[in-house]
């Protein structure tokens, strides 16, 4: 609650700153392609069931959406979209992906929304719908609920049989990466700089903990002690909001300080004004190959929504397992 209040206070301050294949479902064998109709016969109501659970969860806890979107990204970038990120450290014999991410504080509500949808689906069509498909559908639905674009999600992903903390290293972007380094990482996953910028637009929602950007605020090598690429009033507000972050590591700040709960293009409008929260956000504006897309999306929400929708569909196909390459887990947090 304290953290939430701080975020609200900062928001008020910032506001003043600027004026496989279809049919089978059980589908043995036939690997390879995903299809929007994958569960047409085996679980025809899958999209409705997920949508209902997701909407109820988001109403009960509005931070679900951003957390789930981030969870989906992390799942897909580490060994493909196979729900390996969902495996609980309590259930695995070896340290799973999620253990390596403890400091990244993947939010509990995003795991919970998938678990709830899974329970509903196990009643409606037992042993049929993979956790990886549920996460892809939930992320898509939640983007729509926040006002973002809607897009189709191809289905038929299988769940992983393994989840290993050691697989995380080197596969996720870090805030201390240069834009060039991020572009290299995304290229390795098959994404262009344009798609990198579109996907980074997910930071139009949600929040970050002070520890992720504190190096920009205190003892930065500059006259005022903060990163001079930050808007000065924003920097001072952050300095004060985050002042106690070491004793209270839960203090967090909205990624898009202007319209934090709305999926829109304002994140991109913030970057040229020094209102990007993470160093990695600011870096997208400093690097010519990404700056051009930041500018385009800042000027044109439609362009952002179209590219984001396309990039999300591509993200949902990264490293997917189909047919016998994977399984349908009964419980998303247990291998
Ligand atoms: C481009 C490089 C990226 C970096 C360096 C990065 C890093 C981060 C960091 C450090 C946080 C704060 C975590 C915390 O303190 O709890 C965060 C939050 C978030 N990230 Fe990223 N991220 C990147 C790209 C993406 C992409 C591609 C997506 C999704 C498509 C995404 C979605 C999110 C969301 C929605 C949040 C807010 C989470 C919440 O409110 O619970 N990020 N990111
Ligand atoms: C998490 O952070 C703590 C304290 O900063 C550190 O000691 C620990 O090694 C970190 N764990 C991982 C997995 O990075
Ligand atoms: C970036 O931060 C990670 C930890 O999050 C650290 O392991 C790495 O060495 C840092 N890289 C640079 C270039 O500072
Ligand atoms: C905005 O982007 C859309 C989609 O790319 C494009 O059709 C439209 O012409 C653009 N609008 C402006 C004003 O440039």
């Amino acid at each position: 609650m304290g953290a939430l209040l701080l975020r609200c206070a900062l928001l008020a301050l910032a506001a003043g700153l600027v004026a496989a294949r279809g049919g089978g479902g059980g589908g043995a064998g036939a690997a390879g392609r995903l299809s929007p109709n994958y569960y047409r016969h085996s679980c025809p109501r899958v999209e409705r069931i997920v949508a209902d659970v997701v909407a109820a969860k988001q109403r009960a806890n509005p931070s679900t959406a951003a957390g789930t979107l981030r969870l989906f990204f992390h799942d897909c970038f580490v060994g493909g979209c196979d729900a390996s990120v969902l495996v609980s450290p309590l259930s695995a014999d070896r340290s799973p992906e999620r253990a390596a991410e403890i400091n990244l504080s993947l939010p509990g509500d995003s795991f919970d929304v998938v678990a709830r949808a899974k329970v509903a689906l196990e009643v409606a069509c037992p042993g049929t719908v993979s956790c990886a498909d549920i996460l892809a559908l939930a992320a898509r639905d939640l983007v729509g609920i926040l006002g973002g674009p809607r897009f189709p999600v191809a289905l038929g992903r299988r769940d992983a049989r393994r989840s290993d903390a050691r697989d995380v290293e080197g596969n996720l972007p870090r805030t201390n990466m240069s834009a060039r380094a991020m572009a290299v990482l995304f290229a390795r996953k098959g994404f262009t700089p344009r798609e990198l910028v579109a996907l980074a637009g997910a930071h139009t929602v949600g929040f970050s903990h002070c520890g992720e950007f504190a190096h920009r605020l205190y003892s930065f090598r500059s006259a005022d002690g903060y990163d001079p690429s930050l808007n000065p009033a924003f920097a001072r507000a952050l300095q004060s909001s985050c002042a106690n972050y070491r004793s209270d590591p839960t203090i967090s700040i909205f990624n898009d300080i202007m319209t934090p709960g709305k999926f829109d293009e304002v994140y991109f409008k913030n970057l040229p004004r020094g209102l990007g929260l993470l160093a990695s956000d600011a870096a997208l504006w400093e690097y010519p190959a990404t700056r051009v897309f930041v500018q385009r999306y800042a000027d044109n929400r439609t362009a952002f929504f179209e590219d984001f929708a396309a990039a999300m569909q591509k993200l949902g196909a990264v490293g997917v397992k189909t047919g016998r390459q994977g399984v349908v887990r009964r419980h998303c947090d247990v291998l």
Side-chain angles (χ1 to χ4, degrees), residues 104-116:
L104 299 176
S105 54
L106 292 168
D109 284 300
S110 54
F111 293 89
D112 184 60
V113 74
V114 175
R116 283 169 188 257

Side-chain angles (χ1 to χ4, degrees), residues 172-196:
L172 291 176
R174 300 296 177 197
T175 57
N176 60 4
M177 282 184 171
S178 67
R180 180 193 294 275
M182 286 190 274
V184 168
L185 170 62
F186 276 69
R188 262 184 22 235
K189 306 287 180 188
F191 293 88
T192 63
R194 175 175 175 164
E195 290 165 333
L196 156 63

Side-chain angles (χ1 to χ4, degrees), residues 300 302-303 306:
N300 188 334
T302 307
E306 282 180 3

Side-chain angles (χ1 to χ4, degrees), residues 21-37:
R21 262 219 140 54
R33 285 200 292 127
L34 303 177
S35 149
N37 301 319

Side-chain angles (χ1 to χ4, degrees), residues 116 162 284 332:
R116 283 169 188 257
R162 61 174 263 144
L284 296 175
C332 293

